[in-house]
Amino acid sequence: MTTTYRKLIAARHSKNFRDAIEIVESPLRDPAPRELLLRTRCTGVNAADRIMAAGAYIAATPVPFDLGGEAVGEVVAVGAQVQHYRPGDAVLTLGGGYSEYSYHPETRVFPIPRATPEIVSLGVGGLTASIALEVVGEMKSGETVLVTAAAGGTGHFAVQLAKLAGNHVIGTCSSDDKAGLLRTLGCDRPVNYRRENLHDVLKSEYPKGVHIVFESVGGDLFDTGLRHLAVRGRLITIGYIAEYDTGAQKVEQARVYSYLLPKSASVRGFWLNHFLRDHAPAHLLKLVGLLDSGKLTAEVDSRVFRGLEAVADAVEYLYSGQNHGKVVVSY
Ligand code: NAP
């Protein structure tokens, strides 16, 4: 076995991801008594990677810090007091994912059936869609659900989970190809926002409004979702990728209660970290079950990114908006 491993860190905060990152080499050591050593097979690429490196994500993490929101791999060594894992077991870990090897307390990893791109996509994207819709959105059946960035790594799970629960689903995306993907995933009304105006579609085709908005783009899409909430509708704000580079735009409009109160509607924030401990194990088990029974598709983008040197390309690709489903880096 090799005696060193490499990982990608944010060495300095910079809006330019390539300037922020460095690949560093460290010696491999034996895991501490309650730790396991993981050999990474795939890392999921997330919109958060770039804003974290810029020091602009929720709470700015002091540099240097490890990047990579999620990874899957095989356990190669365990500490003397590790109880539930053995070398060869496949696990998912959340955080520190852009690393050839990594160390984790056994309480911080999740057992998975295999370390594949499909399974890593269930990490941040799958868990966010599942927990946000069920726990925060109080998803029911027979409602109308609007998903923005619906063909992306997080959105395509939200579309399918909302359909599986028996809802009518509208999904926004930026191309006809993505609209086609959304149809194959069961989306009832794909909206290519480059061809159609979402406000006009909702006004003419959904006059009673939308019960859940799973919103991750921000800007005009957030405003449109808010204006079209149904009575007792819930808008879940999970991200605002359209304004990550500039910061949330300052806008002048009527206070939010004027939209919410007449409909007994609400806006609810969601950040996965706040829900991991209580909800991640059960939701991950459910997602793996749905995947393995063929009820859920984990759409992995076909563009190949291999090794730590490809991470910056992968992050830029995600931000270009071309990706269909999850962007993954493999090793
Ligand atoms: P992704 O959806 O796989 O990729 C980003 C997608 O956003 C693009 O493909 C693009 O698709 C869409 N987009 C719309 N406007 C954009 C713009 N101005 N610039 C770039 N992309 C734009 O990425 P993801 O990692 O799954 O994240 C999606 C969103 O969910 C992000 O806002 C992210 O921060 C958020 N998120 C939040 C949490 C949480 O815990 N709160 C967890 C996971 C993800 P179209 O243009 O085709 O729509």
Side-chain angles (χ1 to χ4, degrees), residues 22-83:
E22 270 178 25
I23 295 174
V24 295
E25 190 159 356
S26 306
L28 277 171
R29 56 169 173 81
D30 290 335
R34 293 175 197 281
E35 266 184 350
L36 48 82
L37 173 60
L38 178 70
R39 171 157 186 216
T40 310
R41 295 291 176 191
C42 320
T43 307
V45 179
N46 289 287
D49 294 341
R50 199 167 88 174
I51 35 171
M52 282 185 74
Y57 194 53
I58 304 184
T61 313
V63 289
F65 62 91
D66 297 350
L67 280 164
E70 68 216 319
V72 292
E74 284 105 26
V75 175
V76 289
V78 297
Q81 291 171 30
V82 166
Q83 291 183 346

Side-chain angles (χ1 to χ4, degrees), residues 45-47 57 124 128 149 152-154 172-174 178 193 216-217 238-242 244 270-272 318-319 321 323 325:
V45 179
N46 289 287
Y57 194 53
V124 174
T128 293
T154 304
T172 69
C173 63
S174 57
K178 289 189 182 187
Y193 62 78
S216 59
V217 174
I238 73 150
Y240 47 98
I241 191 168
Y244 284 161
F270 175 88
W271 187 33
L272 181 59
L318 182 147
Y319 269 85
N323 61 301

Side-chain angles (χ1 to χ4, degrees), residues 142-175:
E143 294 191 323
T144 300
V145 177
L146 166 65
V147 179
T148 61
T154 304
H156 85 286
F157 286 123
V159 166
Q160 295 178 80
L161 293 171
K163 270 315 280 182
L164 281 168
N167 296 293
H168 180 96
V169 179
I170 309 161
T172 69
C173 63
S174 57
S175 73

Side-chain angles (χ1 to χ4, degrees), residues 18-325:
R18 288 179 195 275
D19 287 345
I21 58 171
E22 270 178 25
I23 295 174
V24 295
E25 190 159 356
S26 306
L28 277 171
R29 56 169 173 81
D30 290 335
R34 293 175 197 281
E35 266 184 350
L36 48 82
L37 173 60
L38 178 70
R39 171 157 186 216
T40 310
R41 295 291 176 191
C42 320
T43 307
V45 179
N46 289 287
D49 294 341
R50 199 167 88 174
I51 35 171
M52 282 185 74
Y57 194 53
I58 304 184
T61 313
V63 289
F65 62 91
D66 297 350
L67 280 164
E70 68 216 319
V72 292
E74 284 105 26
V75 175
V76 289
V78 297
Q81 291 171 30
V82 166
Q83 291 183 346
H84 301 293
Y85 297 95
R86 287 179 309 179
D89 287 350
V91 297
L92 166 81
T93 173
L94 297 173
Y98 292 129
S99 188
E100 294 165 344
Y101 289 82
S102 53
Y103 296 86
H104 304 273
E106 76 164 321
T107 51
R108 293 283 183 82
V109 300
F110 301 88
I112 50 171
R114 58 202 171 273
T116 60
E118 286 73 23
I119 296 283
V120 84
S121 76
L122 300 179
V124 174
L127 287 173
T128 293
S130 184
I131 300 172
L133 285 171
E134 276 186 28
V135 178
V136 179
E138 299 176 74
M139 183 166 67
K140 303 173 180 66
S141 300
E143 294 191 323
T144 300
V145 177
L146 166 65
V147 179
T148 61
T154 304
H156 85 286
F157 286 123
V159 166
Q160 295 178 80
L161 293 171
K163 270 315 280 182
L164 281 168
N167 296 293
H168 180 96
V169 179
I170 309 161
T172 69
C173 63
S174 57
S175 73
D176 291 343
D177 267 7
K178 289 189 182 187
L181 167 65
L182 288 177
R183 266 185 219 100
T184 68
L185 297 176
C187 180
D188 299 286
R189 180 59 167 98
V191 177
N192 173 354
Y193 62 78
R194 293 196 198 283
R195 286 184 181 274
E196 291 187 285
N197 180 288
L198 179 65
H199 167 74
D200 294 343
V201 170
L202 295 177
K203 193 172 166 203
S204 63
E205 298 176 32
Y206 300 90
K208 291 188 176 162
V210 176
H211 299 94
I212 296 182
V213 182
F214 183 92
E215 213 295 285
S216 59
V217 174
D220 291 342
L221 285 180
F222 176 92
D223 290 347
T224 302
L226 180 66
R227 281 171 176 74
H228 287 273
L229 280 171
V231 170
R232 298 182 69 179
R234 293 85 71 195
L235 187 155
I236 316 164
T237 173
I238 73 150
Y240 47 98
I241 191 168
E243 296 184 347
Y244 284 161
D245 283 345
T246 53
Q249 190 189 358
K250 292 187 172 42
V251 291
E252 201 170 301
Q253 57 183 324
R255 286 209 164 95
V256 71
Y257 46 58
S258 64
Y259 299 103
L260 300 179
L261 198 150
K263 292 175 178 165
S264 300
S266 56
V267 174
R268 306 172 181 192
F270 175 88
W271 187 33
L272 181 59
N273 281 13
H274 293 149
F275 295 85
L276 281 180
R277 200 192 55 201
D278 292 343
H279 298 285
H283 282 258
L284 184 64
L285 209 60
K286 178 193 80 177
L287 290 166
V288 170
L290 289 171
L291 184 72
D292 283 351
S293 61
K295 293 182 179 141
L296 184 74
T297 299
E299 185 70 26
V300 175
D301 190 273
S302 58
R303 185 79 67 102
V304 175
F305 297 98
R306 199 162 290 283
L308 295 176
E309 285 75 9
V311 170
D313 293 340
V315 170
E316 279 176 9
Y317 178 64
L318 182 147
Y319 269 85
S320 76
Q322 298 170 65
N323 61 301
H324 291 53

